[in-house]
Amino acid sequence: MSAYHSIVVGTDGSTTALRAVQRAAQVARDAQARLVIVSAYTPASREDVDVAEEALGDESFLVRGSTPAEENLRVAAAAAKELGVEEIFTQAVDGAPVDVLRKAVLDHRADLLVVGNRGLNTLTGRVLGSVPSAAARTAGADVLIVHTTS
């Protein structure tokens, strides 16, 4: 019997987040667990969308609503599938990253949360708290912090 049944990992589309997704995928594959990949986003203001639409023209859909988060999820899910994960769920959720991760852990009854270490060693992270440290304190599940930075 596997130690983990449901694993949550977050992505913001960065290279470091993809490293955390890949590690979560390896654990999910080995444990034959469900992998839930979440991406938190905040909708752009109307002014920001107008500026982006003017600059992007026909590709302006890329900055509307959850489209950027959905693209991040598509890339992350493809990477997880390539690593052999059979059961993958994705969610783009409007909200702050730590809140979105904590809610995903609860909603999916996850027993493992995987996050990258980006932000743990920054001055801002030490003073204000970072997503990895806040997630580790509040997850309500085991937390794997993946070394994703050089």
Side-chain angles (χ1 to χ4, degrees):
M1 180 178 259
S2 167
Y4 298 114
H5 301 286
S6 181
I7 299 170
V8 169
V9 62
T11 185
D12 61 6
S14 66
T15 303
T16 56
L18 187 56
R19 289 186 195 128
V21 169
Q22 290 167 328
R23 184 66 182 118
Q26 291 167 338
V27 173
R29 177 199 61 216
D30 293 348
Q32 298 179 335
R34 172 180 356 122
L35 181 62
V36 179
I37 307 170
V38 298
S39 184
Y41 70 93
T42 302
S45 70
R46 183 69 230 160
E47 295 81 24
D48 290 342
V49 171
D50 289 344
V51 169
E53 284 178 339
E54 187 174 314
L56 293 172
D58 288 343
E59 294 184 347
S60 64
F61 70 91
L62 293 171
V63 296
R64 288 193 197 117
S66 63
T67 300
E70 294 289 348
E71 177 60 15
N72 295 339
L73 291 168
R74 187 193 64 71
V75 169
K81 184 174 180 125
E82 188 174 300
L83 287 167
V85 179
E86 293 182 18
E87 193 176 356
I88 303 168
F89 294 93
T90 61
Q91 290 183 285
V93 181
D94 179 1
V98 173
D99 296 336
V100 168
L101 289 171
R102 185 175 43 240
K103 185 169 179 356
V105 166
L106 290 171
D107 290 350
H108 295 277
R109 295 187 177 137
D111 33 28
L112 178 65
L113 170 63
V114 179
V115 294
N117 70 324
R118 189 174 81 182
L120 284 176
N121 293 321
T122 65
L123 178 59
T124 303
R126 288 192 300 268
V127 174
L128 300 175
S130 64
V131 170
S133 63
R137 285 192 314 273
T138 63
D142 289 353
V143 177
L144 172 61
I145 299 176
V146 179
H147 183 74
T148 60
T149 55
S150 302

